[in-house]
Amino acid sequence: MEILKLAVSGWFARALAVAARLEIADILDGGSMSSQELAERTGSDPEVLHRLLQMLTVPGVLERDGEKFKLTEAYAPLRADHPFTQRHFAILAAELYDDAFAGLMHTVKTGKSGFQEVFGQSLYAYLENNPETAELFDKGMVDLATPVAHCLVEQHDFGGVKTVVDVGGGSGGLLPGILAAHPGIHGTVADRASVCARGREGLGRVTDEGVLERITFAPSDFFTEVPAGADRYLLKNVLHDWTYDNCVRILRTVATAMATSAEGARLLVVEPLVEHDIDGWRAMFQAVACDEGTLGLDEPGMRRALEEAGFTVESVAQLPTGHKVLASALRAA
């Protein structure tokens, strides 16, 4: 039975994605509805939708309320209006990323990218060529970043900081939470030109005008140049996409930018590191979908990359989200 549960688990991921795309969690709005009512609201076949809803009771996404179905509390983040929504990432993981895992055997046999094998191009090239998926990717990254920002402002002292550059920050998932907690900080997202072009629209979810007016976007290539002179540089969930050598290249770019920063400037590397067996799934994703040859770094490996790039690690903190925060200063010449 355990083999069967694991073997069909991908079906449940797809069912979750379909429910998310149909916005069932939002339609339920904390209440309960019959499959017929939900079919009418979603434009679905009533009988087939009923089977989908039944299927989603198995992992506990939904529960029966007589003849009706309701969303369980554990899956409340499927709602788009949840403060820590995971709706977009759930769709991204169950669709694009799961498709990439069709290349898993290729990766295991050769060590090469499964994503490249399946799609004929790298993940980021694919996103450049598929705008709708790129928009979903941006929103999925915001889903992952929002709870991290919430935890980061509680753990890291941003006192006295005036400027923050979020390197590879996508459509600005991390900065709104930091800037909302610190009204004196201005933030810049440094990312690919296409991402920055979508960035302002992506901030439509932010209702605080005082936060919005303090966020700017700077088209950048983090292998060559990012905005210089900031008080804090952030690299969240960026380095795990790249091989060790490319991590060092990115870090050296940041080091160059920090060369003109004030004395108290710091780099915060925020990463879910690969240090235990339970982290193996993340390392396998990196091998399949990220920069070819990427298998994840543990804390000693990340420290080594930082030191090689010219940084001194001053502290390491663990966030409840599973990320470690390595706070580093530029090493004196």
Side-chain angles (χ1 to χ4, degrees):
M1 188 63 181
E2 292 303 311
I3 293 175
L4 179 61
K5 285 196 293 187
L6 186 58
V8 303
S9 61
W11 303 353
F12 287 94
R14 290 281 176 161
L16 183 70
V18 169
R21 283 199 177 274
L22 292 175
E23 301 180 353
I24 285 174
D26 303 276
I27 293 169
L28 288 172
D29 194 24
S32 58
M33 289 187 185
S34 68
S35 55
Q36 181 67 43
E37 291 174 296
L38 285 168
E40 291 171 1
R41 294 285 296 274
T42 61
S44 304
D45 181 288
E47 293 182 351
V48 178
L49 183 66
H50 182 75
R51 295 304 187 207
L52 179 75
L53 300 176
Q54 286 182 311
M55 182 178 181
L56 288 172
T57 66
V58 177
V61 179
L62 300 173
E63 61 184 11
R64 293 294 290 264
D65 180 16
E67 293 302 310
K68 298 182 178 182
F69 295 86
K70 65 184 298 184
L71 188 72
T72 63
E73 184 60 31
Y75 286 85
L78 281 176
R79 292 173 55 124
D81 63 355
H82 191 279
F84 299 124
T85 182
Q86 296 295 298
R87 176 179 179 268
H88 305 99
F89 184 76
I91 298 170
L92 180 70
E95 294 181 352
L96 179 66
Y97 289 170
D98 187 61
D99 286 345
F101 262 75
L104 178 59
M105 181 65 80
H106 176 76
T107 298
V108 171
K109 289 279 193 177
T110 69
K112 297 183 180 298
S113 167
F115 195 100
Q116 183 82 33
E117 176 73 5
V118 172
F119 294 102
Q121 55 192 325
S122 70
L123 169 61
Y124 290 110
Y126 181 87
L127 295 175
E128 289 292 331
N129 294 322
N130 293 271
E132 289 186 7
T133 305
E135 183 179 355
L136 174 64
F137 179 87
D138 290 347
K139 291 177 178 178
M141 296 306 101
V142 171
D143 287 357
L144 296 182
T146 302
V148 175
H150 178 75
C151 296
L152 191 59
V153 296
E154 293 186 345
Q155 293 236 5
H156 181 73
D157 182 11
F158 284 92
V161 172
K162 297 298 182 185
T163 55
V164 175
V165 173
D166 187 4
V167 179
S171 58
L174 201 60
L175 286 179
I178 295 172
L179 271 55
H182 297 277
I185 295 179
H186 286 73
T188 298
V189 176
D191 212 313
R192 304 188 315 278
S194 60
V195 177
C196 289
R198 298 190 299 270
R200 184 55 59 178
E201 181 180 348
L203 288 176
R205 67 190 185 281
V206 180
T207 57
D208 188 334
E209 289 295 328
V211 169
L212 288 174
E213 66 186 17
R214 288 182 283 126
I215 298 177
T216 58
F217 290 85
S220 307
D221 177 354
F222 52 42
F223 287 117
T224 58
E225 186 178 19
V226 295
D231 300 317
R232 289 290 182 276
Y233 285 84
L234 307 175
L235 278 166
K236 186 204 75 69
N237 283 41
V238 170
L239 298 181
H240 73 238
D241 283 349
W242 304 96
T243 61
Y244 178 85
D245 288 345
N246 278 334
C247 285
V248 174
R249 287 179 62 200
I250 295 167
L251 290 168
R252 283 177 174 156
T253 303
V254 177
T256 299
M258 284 180 63
T260 59
S261 296
E263 184 178 347
R266 296 293 183 271
L267 164 65
L268 305 182
V269 171
V270 185
E271 283 285 344
L273 301 177
V274 178
E275 301 185 295
H276 308 286
D277 286 348
I278 197 171
D279 303 320
W281 67 269
R282 186 182 299 114
M284 187 56 73
F285 168 77
Q286 291 167 310
V288 168
C290 298
D291 189 24
E292 198 157 274
T294 302
L295 278 173
L297 293 176
D298 56 12
E299 184 181 320
M302 190 62 74
R303 283 176 173 269
R304 188 167 61 254
L306 281 158
E307 290 162 6
E308 188 173 334
F311 290 94
T312 298
V313 179
E314 295 183 329
S315 66
V316 179
Q318 182 76 51
L319 297 183
T321 56
H323 296 75
K324 279 190 175 179
V325 182
L326 289 85
S328 303
L330 199 59
R331 190 166 58 242

